[in-house]
Amino acid sequence: MPDIRRVLVIGGGVGGLTAAAFFARRGVETVLIERRPAFDIPGIGLGQPANALRIYDKLGVLDEILATGFSYDRMFILDAQRRLIVDHKFLMGDERVPPFCALSRLELHEILLGAAQRAGADIRLGVTADAFHDDGDRVDVAFSNGMRDAFDLVAGFDGIRSTTRLHLVGTAFAPRYSGYGAWRVQAARPDEVRRMEFMQGVGCKTGAMPLSNNVMYLFHIRPEAPDANFDGQDRASLFRERLKQFGGFVADIAASLNSESDIVYSPIEPMLLPWPWFRGRVAIGGDAAHVVAPHLTQGAAMAAEDAYVLVRETLGGEGPIEDRLMRYSRLRYPRCAFVYSFSGQWLHDEQSVRTPHDMEAARGELMQNGSARIGASDRVLDERV
Ligand SMILES: Cc1cc2nc3c(=O)[nH]c(=O)nc-3n(C[C@H](O)[C@H](O)[C@H](O)COP(=O)(O)OP(=O)(O)OC[C@H]3O[C@@H](n4cnc5c(N)ncnc54)[C@H](O)[C@@H]3O)c2cc1C
């Protein structure tokens, strides 16, 4: 008789929806709770590399994702005037999955939600878990709507401000502000934007990612004050000011920004939980366990991989549940640590370009090593989990 028959997944982001879909496909009675009253997350994009696409393939939604998004096999690093520095062909993917497919976050969530619902997961919106009582055999959960229920396993994929992580480790480990923030906006895709582009500026970086035939997303990373959120301020003029050294289509997008533009600002707050990612029968994954700088576009990909490995190890593994959850933690930690350190280093390197002299040094270094460096990361992340 299997000992995991009822699972609670907390959080309806990429990680939680993927976990719920995999649990439910394996015949486990699966309840997913999501704090938001609706799946109305802002429509900024997500680049999904081959390793994420392989997980979605196992869920049977690869074709839908590829039909919705924009696939590409290269990235360019350019300067602020869009002069090419690095042309990197990704060393990821195979005959089945392309190296990259990017799509709007909302569309990816809808596809994963569909997979979870078709598999039979019970999705409950506007609900959180207030308290857990783990007696060793079951976890008794008190919900915010006054209900109580018992589960064989709780999987917390409740994001960067995870309350499930608080249950595991208290405030011992928390995301800390890196000193840098990310500005993002969707825009019409100019025909020339057909791959990911990083434009290295002096004191900041701007990038572009195609999301569909019509749409791309523009992002911009720079130092910002620790408490900045820009709420109630004129984000269009602040963003335009920040983009002023960039030419080409970036200058056109900057000129078109206005008070209607859906500009999103997020501080970059990395964290890697150096601890088993469970306590008793409560486990965590995704941003609840690790938050990475966005440079490798691997945050959601790591959440999807965590979900797949958690389900595989807990349902298929040998030994008591603690051993299986320890194996999950051990399998996932090194890979997430690689992404954490590689993308964090990239963030610091690019933001260390503070003067025109730095820019010329960075240009030379990138021309010499940029593609080989990204290729080394491609090879690691292309390995099967
Ligand atoms: C600027 C930027 C760019 C990025 N670009 C990329 C990219 O191109 N590719 C990529 O792969 N990743 C990217 N990421 C990272 C990616 O967004 C995250 O790593 C990913 O969303 C994590 O997924 P998750 O499911 O763990 O958490 P989330 O997506 O944060 O989902 C957590 C969910 O849990 C819900 N929740 C929270 N608390 C509770 C609670 N107590 N009870 C119930 N529900 C709760 C939340 O409402 C949310 O829906 C980027 C991040 C940033 C900041």
Side-chain angles (χ1 to χ4, degrees), residues 19-20 47 56 107 135 147 182 199 201 275 288 340 352:
Y56 304 140
E107 285 171 328
D135 70 6
M147 296 182 69
M199 282 156 271
W275 204 266
Y340 174 85
S352 302

Side-chain angles (χ1 to χ4, degrees), residues 56 155 163 171 197 225 229 278 372 375:
Y56 304 140
T163 49
T171 53
E197 299 196 5
N229 67 27
F278 72 100

Side-chain angles (χ1 to χ4, degrees), residues 10-16 33-36 45-48 105 109 127-129 157-160 163 182 184 209 217 266 285-288 294 297-301 303:
I10 303 176
V14 168
I33 56 168
E34 163 55 46
R35 182 179 53 190
R36 290 168 183 269
L46 280 174
Q48 293 298 275
R105 200 178 269 265
H109 279 227
V127 183
T128 60
F157 283 85
D158 46 350
I160 184 168
T163 49
R184 291 168 283 171
M209 188 186 281
Y217 110 79
S266 325
D287 275 15
T297 65
Q298 283 283 349

